[in-house]
Amino acid sequence: MTEFAIKVYRAVLSIPLGSTRSYKWVALKAGRPGATRAVGSILNKNPYPLIIPCHRVIKNNKEIGGFAFGTKTKKALLDSEREVLKCLKNKK
DNA sequence: CAAACTATTCAGC
DNA sequence: GCTGAATAGTTTG
């Protein structure tokens, strides 16, 4: 666990539910622009994959990068989040 | 401490 | 659109 990793986690946690951000974006928020691969490496071995919405982080091309539980799982999570968000937005 | 690896990104063709 | 090279940090020996 390093400071950079903490910043990355904070940035990822700052991503609104149902939204996605690119690795570059996270790297920028972490204060290390250009360290996009480093961000991926950290998330890949991230100690708390369940408390870190790492599935909200995707490639800059909108493509699904990777996921410790499988890319399909990541897609499923994104879809589920979107559904939940829609439900919340629907209010009443 | 140094080498290798990585869930990426940019430039060139 | 695809291939090749570069960047930055983590992890392992």
Side-chain angles (χ1 to χ4, degrees):
Chain A
M1 177 70 93
T2 63
E3 299 300 307
F4 180 60
I6 294 166
K7 288 178 182 172
V8 171
Y9 299 148
R10 289 187 80 174
V12 176
L13 287 163
S14 184
I15 301 170
L17 191 153
S19 299
T20 51
R21 292 292 184 272
S22 58
Y23 291 92
K24 202 169 70 151
W25 182 90
V26 177
L28 185 73
K29 293 287 282 184
R32 253 69 187 168
T36 53
R37 302 188 65 175
V39 173
S41 190
I42 291 164
L43 292 175
N44 177 234
K45 300 159 184 126
N46 87 44
Y48 311 111
L50 298 176
I51 65 172
I52 305 285
C54 42
H55 57 266
R56 287 185 203 157
V57 185
I58 58 175
K59 290 177 72 170
N60 192 29
N61 202 42
K62 300 281 186 39
E63 291 289 311
I64 297 290
F67 196 53
F69 292 88
T71 52
K72 51 181 165 54
T73 307
K74 188 171 182 174
K75 284 192 288 192
L77 281 165
L78 288 168
D79 187 61
S80 299
E81 283 199 344
R82 225 168 72 170
E83 192 178 71
V84 175
L85 182 68
K86 195 176 74 172
C87 192
L88 293 171
K89 231 171 93 173
N90 208 333
K91 217 165 342 153
K92 209 285 298 320

